[in-house]
Amino acid sequence: MRRIHNSLDEILTIFDENPKSKEINNRLKIELHSMKGLLDAVGFNNATETVVEIEEMTHALGETADPALMGIIKGSVEKIEEMLRLLESKGEHSISEIDNKVSFESLLVKAGKRMNVEIEIDDKKSMLSSRAISIINGVKKIAELHSAVPSEEDLIADAKFDVLKLDITTHESKDEIQEKLEKMPKVKSVLIFAGGDRAGETASEELFLRVRLRDVRSIGNDLTILAGQMGQLETHLDSQGLEILETLYNSIENIQDDIGRLKSVPFIQILSGLPGMVSRIAKQEKKLVEFSMQGRFIRVDKLVANAILDPITQIIRNAVSHGIEGRAERRKLKKSPIGSINLTASEVRDKIIIKVTDDGAGIDPVLLKKRAKELGIEITSENIIDVMFQNKFTTHSSDTSISGRGIGLYTAKKRIEDIGGTINVSSELGKGTVFTLEIPNSDSLLKSIIVRSGNIKFAISSFDIEHIEVIREEISMYHFIDKEIPVVKMSEVIHSEEEREQKILIVCRGAKGYYALVVDAIVDERLASIKPLNPLLSNLEVFDGTLFDEKQEPILVLNTSAII
Amino acid sequence: MAKLMIVDDSNFMRATVRKALEAAGHEIVAEADNGEDAVALYAKHRPECTTMDIVMPNGNGIEALTKIIDFDPDARVIIITALGHEPMIRKALAAGAMSFVIKPAEEDEILEAVDAALMGM
């Protein structure tokens, strides 16, 4: 049984590293067959029946592993661990007792009903957060808990709240859940909605619709274009019309928020496998590692989420394998025997900042320099540690089967940069290392106009443009709606040559209000993804983004707030 | 009705809890006034639910709770403790306690917690 447990664990590790490996399903079939035989021989009848079903599922699948099945296998590993523990507990439990106790059947319980539960707690002794933790522990016995607000972490930190909100999936009926929750100590009221229902509506079966991400983005882009076109109406409307237009803008914004939610996932969805991975690698390396996460519920664009999972996984693998010292080593260094790795995610405007911090050995710059020399790699950055991100760099003379070669960090950096992000590392020898990822959280396509001032082309996002018109004479002030606004010549801002021809006046929204920008010509209109400006160009205050024209040449995007 | 165990170093508290539970028709199969005895009696009698004080001599409630849960992961333990011990309550919940009651506890508070625990919540 121990051998089967270890083998299934190994299969899960292979799945972690290479989900598309064809080895996985082949090995699973063999191990499940062995497991079925062994359980049957020992007398675990209930467990055997379930393993037969899992085995049939494996045979029904194609060549590559199915994530849902791997979730069941992971659960099976935990069940086997439980069985072994009970078997080894000095014969206190009979085989049939263990068979009944360790329910493999619960692994196959899949989609139940999704419910949102709101619980009011009435604890006059002000133990709300502890009471909420107790309720959450009870709920976990009858349902799968997806999320809690406040979260368990926040409750442990004694968060204050009015209502405990839980997002669960359960096989019990709404009435059964309601009855059980209402009987819990200090529960004042329980409201249950089917997942997605608004308050007051009857709970119903939740329906899901599978859509292409591309189609969702297309709807978002169409709305962006619509908003831009609506802007052209402004000068043709009276004050009542402008009020109606404002209402329409608000509606579009709300729809775009809804679309944003469709395109995005809670961060925890992509992180859910990490604690298990850390635990497995730490066990294999005979290390004690505590892994914590903060910011698990910020929402991340799906494409961004897909792109950053592998880099984060690589960084955390490295932290466990190469960062955290072994127990004996840590004792010698008078560190806690339990190493710690923390992942924190936070949102800053339209960026996600992810920090992975460990209290391990840190990175030795002397060792890095030496190794770089051995591999013939030139150190090009002032920060020696950056050599770690170079292709084929590794400080380890042999590939550890657990974390792989240095190519992991090179690929990780490339993946992050491909989506417009940055990755940096800082370290203190003996104390630990911090990896910081900054990722733009939006891949929105925006309409922009490409304009020219002298021989310099740049772009202005349609969101920054209020009005455009041709002017034939030089003016210093412009009448817009009911005000006189200043006029700024772009040629003076970017020191381009000024052309003596009719000009284009563009009314923009600045930091302090509207102003009019004068350029020489409108060259083009583009619907393109605007990426944040390369940090090397951060001194160019009047520009804050880049897009690419049809020839894939970069064009700087004007930061209209930086002009006035 | 259910077979229960009461653990508290206070005779008075044990008597209060016993009275409440017996009045509801439950059977008290064991009582202990310290953590070490609590663990031994649990293994012997396998009560369906246990009420446990946290602060006790000779093995506190958290240690006893941890050992009981280790022995029987499905053990239903309700912590009874005084106000001001919230960090310990959270520790106990993290260690596997099902819920808690704050002293001074009304009889119906104790019964409510025990009933919920017997329901599996």
Side-chain angles (χ1 to χ4, degrees):
Chain A
M1 187 81 99
R2 178 67 63 187
R3 188 204 65 75
I4 293 174
H5 169 274
N6 292 345
S7 193
L8 288 177
D9 208 43
E10 211 179 291
I11 292 170
L12 285 167
T13 305
I14 296 171
F15 179 70
D16 259 345
E17 290 173 359
N18 182 10
K20 294 194 171 67
S21 165
K22 290 176 187 168
E23 189 190 344
I24 296 169
N25 270 5
N26 290 337
R27 282 186 65 173
L28 260 184
K29 286 168 189 165
I30 296 168
E31 293 305 335
L32 286 170
H33 188 72
S34 301
M35 190 170 157
K36 178 183 69 179
L38 181 62
L39 289 170
D40 191 28
V42 174
F44 289 120
N45 300 326
N46 295 334
T48 307
E49 270 180 35
T50 307
V51 171
V52 165
E53 283 189 64
I54 299 174
E55 199 186 7
E56 281 168 10
M57 283 165 68
T58 315
H59 282 286
L61 293 168
E63 284 188 312
T64 50
D66 177 67
L69 175 64
M70 296 314 289
I72 293 172
I73 298 301
K74 182 172 175 246
S76 302
V77 168
E78 286 159 12
K79 295 288 178 191
I80 297 174
E81 275 175 17
E82 211 182 320
M83 269 183 162
L84 286 167
R85 191 185 60 75
L86 291 170
L87 284 168
E88 287 162 8
S89 63
K90 295 177 187 165
E92 299 232 9
H93 306 273
S94 67
I95 294 295
S96 65
E97 261 179 21
I98 297 174
D99 196 28
N100 289 330
K101 212 182 213 343
V102 182
S103 165
F104 274 74
E105 197 181 5
S106 61
L107 294 173
L108 295 185
V109 163
K110 285 187 209 122
K113 295 189 196 67
R114 188 86 177 237
M115 294 182 192
N116 291 326
V117 183
E118 293 184 3
I119 302 171
E120 249 188 294
I121 300 172
D122 182 16
D123 192 327
K124 293 181 175 55
K125 291 170 186 168
S126 305
M127 304 291 273
L128 281 182
S129 51
S130 294
R131 197 59 73 186
I133 294 171
S134 168
I135 290 169
I136 288 174
N137 286 352
V139 165
K140 283 179 182 175
K141 291 184 197 299
I142 55 170
E144 185 188 343
L145 178 69
H146 302 295
S147 65
V149 177
S151 68
E152 288 172 87
E153 286 161 345
D154 291 341
L155 289 168
I156 289 167
D158 202 20
K160 303 290 174 242
F161 60 97
D162 294 319
V163 169
L164 175 65
K165 294 181 184 176
L166 306 176
D167 180 3
I168 64 172
T169 294
T170 177
H171 292 274
E172 306 206 20
S173 70
K174 182 190 162 202
D175 288 340
E176 283 167 342
I177 294 288
Q178 181 110 23
E179 193 192 337
K180 286 187 178 175
L181 287 174
E182 282 172 349
K183 283 188 176 161
M184 291 195 76
K186 305 302 177 192
V187 168
K188 183 178 172 186
S189 72
V190 177
L191 285 177
I192 300 181
F193 314 107
D197 274 5
R198 293 212 159 73
E201 288 177 10
T202 312
S204 58
E205 290 292 330
E206 192 172 20
L207 292 176
F208 289 93
L209 184 67
R210 203 177 157 98
V211 295
R212 285 188 309 185
L213 183 60
R214 193 192 321 157
D215 292 339
V216 173
R217 286 181 184 279
S218 177
I219 296 169
N221 296 339
D222 287 342
L223 280 170
T224 305
I225 295 167
L226 176 63
Q229 286 169 341
M230 277 163 56
Q232 294 173 29
L233 286 172
E234 281 180 19
T235 50
H236 301 284
L237 298 172
D238 60 15
S239 59
Q240 196 177 5
L242 286 170
E243 272 183 34
I244 295 169
L245 193 64
E246 185 67 32
T247 314
L248 291 172
Y249 278 137
N250 289 339
S251 297
I252 288 180
E253 213 176 296
N254 289 338
I255 297 170
Q256 284 181 323
D257 283 346
D258 289 339
I259 287 172
R261 269 193 292 281
L262 283 176
K263 292 190 310 179
S264 66
V265 294
F267 201 35
I268 190 175
Q269 203 166 298
I270 62 162
L271 301 180
S272 57
L274 291 179
M277 180 194 76
V278 168
S279 167
R280 267 196 303 281
I281 298 174
K283 223 194 238 175
Q284 284 167 339
E285 302 230 355
K286 295 185 175 27
K287 292 178 182 175
L288 295 174
V289 181
E290 189 178 65
F291 178 62
S292 58
M293 297 191 283
Q294 276 85 42
R296 296 173 306 155
F297 296 109
I298 58 170
R299 296 194 74 90
V300 183
D301 184 276
K302 271 191 178 124
L303 287 184
V304 170
N306 286 345
I308 64 176
L309 176 58
D310 283 347
I312 290 175
T313 305
Q314 181 65 51
I315 289 167
I316 292 173
R317 268 190 219 284
N318 282 355
V320 182
S321 284
H322 308 314
I324 302 293
E325 308 94 330
R327 277 180 268 188
E329 177 72 16
R330 287 182 72 89
R331 260 198 303 272
K332 251 195 277 176
L333 297 166
K334 293 192 177 13
K335 285 183 172 181
S336 158
I338 306 174
S340 104
I341 300 174
N342 171 262
L343 183 150
T344 301
S346 55
E347 267 183 296
V348 176
R349 274 177 271 140
D350 63 346
K351 282 194 184 158
I352 305 280
I353 313 287
I354 299 163
K355 284 196 168 150
V356 179
T357 309
D358 71 66
D359 71 346
I363 298 167
D364 187 345
V366 170
L367 184 63
L368 284 185
K369 252 195 214 166
K370 186 176 166 212
R371 189 67 181 151
K373 201 172 167 185
E374 282 169 12
L375 295 169
I377 293 173
E378 191 189 337
I379 296 174
T380 52
S381 167
E382 273 184 22
N383 184 5
I384 290 170
I385 294 178
D386 286 347
V387 78
M388 288 170 53
F389 293 109
Q390 294 202 33
N391 197 1
K392 293 189 184 145
F393 182 87
T394 176
T395 57
H396 298 274
S397 50
S398 66
D399 169 12
T400 69
S401 63
I402 292 157
S403 291
R405 293 180 179 279
I407 196 171
L409 283 180
Y410 167 76
T411 307
K413 186 170 189 231
K414 201 159 173 321
R415 293 287 299 274
I416 301 289
E417 286 174 351
D418 281 349
I419 55 164
T422 60
I423 179 169
N424 290 295
V425 59
S426 63
S427 183
E428 198 178 332
L429 196 58
K431 295 254 169 81
T433 304
V434 182
F435 279 86
T436 307
L437 285 65
E438 281 191 29
I439 322 282
N441 194 20
S442 169
D443 188 28
S444 52
L445 291 177
L446 290 173
K447 192 173 173 191
S448 304
I449 57 163
I450 313 295
V451 299
R452 182 169 57 78
S453 179
N455 59 350
I456 298 175
K457 273 197 300 190
F458 58 94
I460 306 177
S461 162
S462 61
F463 277 121
D464 293 330
I465 298 172
E466 299 295 327
H467 171 67
I468 300 176
E469 74 175 62
V470 175
I471 56 170
R472 292 190 166 78
E473 55 188 12
E474 198 163 308
I475 53 174
S476 59
M477 297 297 282
Y478 178 75
H479 186 82
F480 181 66
I481 304 179
D482 55 356
K483 281 190 176 166
E484 295 296 313
I485 61 174
V487 175
V488 177
K489 287 191 201 173
M490 197 60 196
S491 55
E492 288 174 3
V493 175
I494 58 173
H495 308 294
S496 61
E497 279 180 13
E498 194 181 339
E499 294 181 355
R500 295 181 187 284
E501 59 185 43
Q502 68 187 27
K503 307 279 193 219
I504 306 296
L505 182 139
I506 303 172
V507 177
C508 299
R509 207 191 296 263
K512 294 174 188 166
Y514 294 118
Y515 64 93
L517 193 67
V518 173
V519 299
D520 291 324
I522 293 177
V523 172
D524 195 6
E525 213 175 45
R526 288 284 293 161
L527 190 64
S529 173
I530 296 179
K531 304 290 184 201
L533 205 58
N534 189 308
L536 289 173
L537 299 173
S538 57
N539 288 338
L540 299 175
E541 289 171 353
V542 296
F543 298 108
D544 64 354
T546 321
L547 56 79
F548 292 88
D549 66 11
E550 61 216 359
K551 294 177 191 165
Q552 292 306 299
E553 285 177 8
I555 297 180
L556 295 173
V557 179
L558 191 70
N559 176 4
T560 55
S561 305
I563 306 292
I564 289 186
Chain B
M1 281 303 162
K3 295 180 183 337
L4 309 176
M5 179 166 82
I6 302 170
V7 183
D8 201 303
D9 62 333
S10 155
N11 290 336
F12 172 73
M13 199 58 216
R14 289 202 312 275
T16 305
V17 174
R18 182 173 59 239
K19 184 180 158 208
L21 296 176
E22 282 177 341
H26 296 298
E27 183 191 345
I28 308 303
V29 296
E31 287 186 37
D33 62 6
N34 65 80
E36 203 178 297
D37 286 352
V39 176
L41 285 169
Y42 186 92
K44 184 176 175 187
H45 294 281
R46 298 287 196 97
E48 291 168 73
C49 182
T50 302
T51 65
M52 171 104 65
D53 187 12
I54 289 186
V55 181
M56 288 188 294
N58 201 16
N60 70 34
I62 303 280
E63 288 167 9
L65 166 69
T66 307
K67 285 179 183 164
I68 287 171
I69 299 284
D70 239 5
F71 171 75
D72 178 5
D74 291 331
R76 298 179 186 126
V77 180
I78 295 164
I79 293 296
I80 302 189
T81 189
L83 251 182
H85 288 162
E86 195 156 6
M88 299 206 59
I89 291 172
R90 290 200 207 112
K91 240 184 176 167
L93 291 171
M98 293 190 80
S99 72
F100 60 95
V101 175
I102 301 294
K103 297 177 194 177
E106 304 283 347
E107 284 185 12
D108 56 2
E109 278 185 280
I110 299 169
L111 281 173
E112 189 184 38
V114 167
D115 285 345
L118 290 171
M119 235 180 15
M121 301 279 291

